[in-house]
Amino acid sequence: MHIFNRVKYQTPESVELEFVLAGIGSRAWALLIDYHVLALILITFLITWLFLSVQVLDWLTNIFGGDKVGIWLYAIALLVNYFIYTGYFVCFETLWQGQTPGKRIAKIRVLKDNGRPIGLQQAALRALLRPIDDTLFLGAFFIIFGRREKRIGDWVAGTIVIQTQPPSLATTFTISEQAKLLCQELLETANISAMLPDDFAIIREYLLRRKGMSQKGRDAVALRLAKQVKTIINLEKAPEGVSPDVFLEAIYLTYQKFSNFGQ
């Protein structure tokens, strides 16, 4: 078992992304949080269901007759419990770009094997196979001893779980004053919500690595990235007198502020 197991992907923009796989510790911590949240949801549902069942039991017995009404109510409660259990993970991982409340607190995220965000299909497969992974701790066994640290649900869905590393401006790279001013303008004119987390990751990787590039290579990559970002955010009019480098810095800041506001 590796202490830090890393995977690398080459993007179409020729930028290499490196992710640190989430180990058993962070994944167990996230699952523990999620199960506590789930327990609160399920307990609330069961109390509500029990209260309603007591109110309508006699009425349903008079309509359908027999003594099996209680059994049917119990069976329906079990079925709804299962849908809540699987739906919790499916909904959050689909809507929150591969995160649940537990994963967000533990700072981990689910991605496809190619580094792209997961969709409904991958989230559903992972959720449906979770009971198997939880049985006799099979999932933990596969994560601990597997090279890619995947549980059974990850292998079937074609996903990996990575650690997220929130950027820190003070310890990573310098943002120009021009980019900070442009950031305020982009918050009002650009459709930042169209950007995905991996789009942001590509920009961050470029800004981190640009000092190690040749000037020619740096200019070419920055120009290509800037053009693609303008298309993604539907920016009809490019800022005047702004270099691609400064534009990417501004996008980096804008996406950060937009994400923090959304949370």
Side-chain angles (χ1 to χ4, degrees):
M1 181 179 63
H2 303 287
I3 297 178
F4 294 107
N5 198 354
R6 301 174 182 269
V7 290
K8 294 182 180 181
Y9 299 105
Q10 191 79 16
T11 71
E13 296 82 11
S14 299
V15 178
E16 189 178 72
L17 298 180
E18 183 178 76
F19 299 112
V20 178
L21 294 177
I24 186 64
S26 55
R27 294 182 69 164
W29 171 235
L31 189 61
L32 181 63
I33 295 171
D34 284 327
Y35 276 171
H36 274 81
V37 176
L38 257 176
L40 290 175
I41 296 173
L42 291 174
I43 289 172
T44 302
F45 163 73
L46 288 175
I47 292 174
T48 304
W49 184 259
L50 181 62
F51 174 78
L52 294 176
S53 297
V54 170
Q55 302 300 315
V56 301
L57 182 60
D58 292 337
W59 178 68
L60 291 175
T61 301
N62 292 333
I63 294 178
F64 296 103
D67 55 354
K68 295 184 178 181
V69 173
I71 297 176
W72 276 106
L73 289 174
Y74 177 73
I76 293 172
L78 288 180
L79 187 62
V80 174
N81 267 354
Y82 177 75
F83 282 126
I84 292 175
Y85 173 81
T86 55
Y88 172 89
F89 293 99
V90 173
C91 289
F92 275 114
E93 288 185 357
T94 301
L95 298 176
W96 280 13
Q97 300 290 332
Q99 287 188 309
T100 59
K103 288 184 177 69
R104 179 165 289 187
I105 293 173
K107 293 181 171 55
I108 62 177
R109 182 187 301 276
V110 184
L111 296 176
K112 292 181 183 178
D113 279 338
N114 60 5
R116 304 293 296 180
I118 66 169
L120 178 61
Q121 179 181 353
Q122 291 77 31
L125 285 172
R126 297 183 82 256
L128 290 173
L129 290 169
R130 185 174 293 278
I132 298 177
D133 280 309
D134 289 348
T135 303
L136 298 177
F137 301 102
L138 283 176
F141 178 85
F142 276 87
I143 293 171
I144 293 172
F145 296 103
R147 184 175 61 87
R148 299 294 295 273
E149 301 187 17
K150 292 186 173 193
R151 62 178 178 87
I152 297 173
D154 289 317
W155 285 110
V156 175
T159 57
I160 57 172
V161 182
I162 65 163
Q163 297 180 11
T164 60
Q165 300 175 345
S168 175
L169 293 178
T171 58
T172 52
F173 47 82
T174 303
I175 299 294
S176 65
E177 290 300 321
Q178 188 180 9
K180 293 177 183 178
L181 293 174
L182 180 58
C183 169
Q184 301 302 322
E185 179 183 335
L186 290 175
L187 281 171
E188 300 176 359
T189 60
N191 182 20
I192 299 298
S193 62
M195 285 185 61
L196 297 175
D198 55 329
D199 297 324
F200 173 77
I202 290 172
I203 295 173
R204 178 174 179 268
E205 285 298 310
Y206 164 73
L207 295 175
L208 282 168
R209 298 174 185 233
R210 58 184 172 175
K211 287 186 177 180
M213 300 179 181
S214 66
Q215 189 61 49
K216 184 178 180 181
R218 174 174 170 172
D219 292 342
V221 173
L223 182 61
R224 187 161 58 223
L225 282 176
K227 286 182 178 179
Q228 294 186 2
V229 170
K230 289 173 185 175
T231 301
I232 292 172
I233 64 176
N234 297 322
L235 191 63
E236 297 180 358
K237 184 179 179 182
E240 296 181 0
V242 176
S243 68
D245 233 35
V246 172
F247 175 74
L248 292 174
E249 290 176 2
I251 289 293
Y252 174 89
L253 281 177
T254 306
Y255 183 87
Q256 253 197 337
K257 290 186 178 182
F258 178 83
S259 299
N260 291 335
F261 178 78
Q263 293 177 3

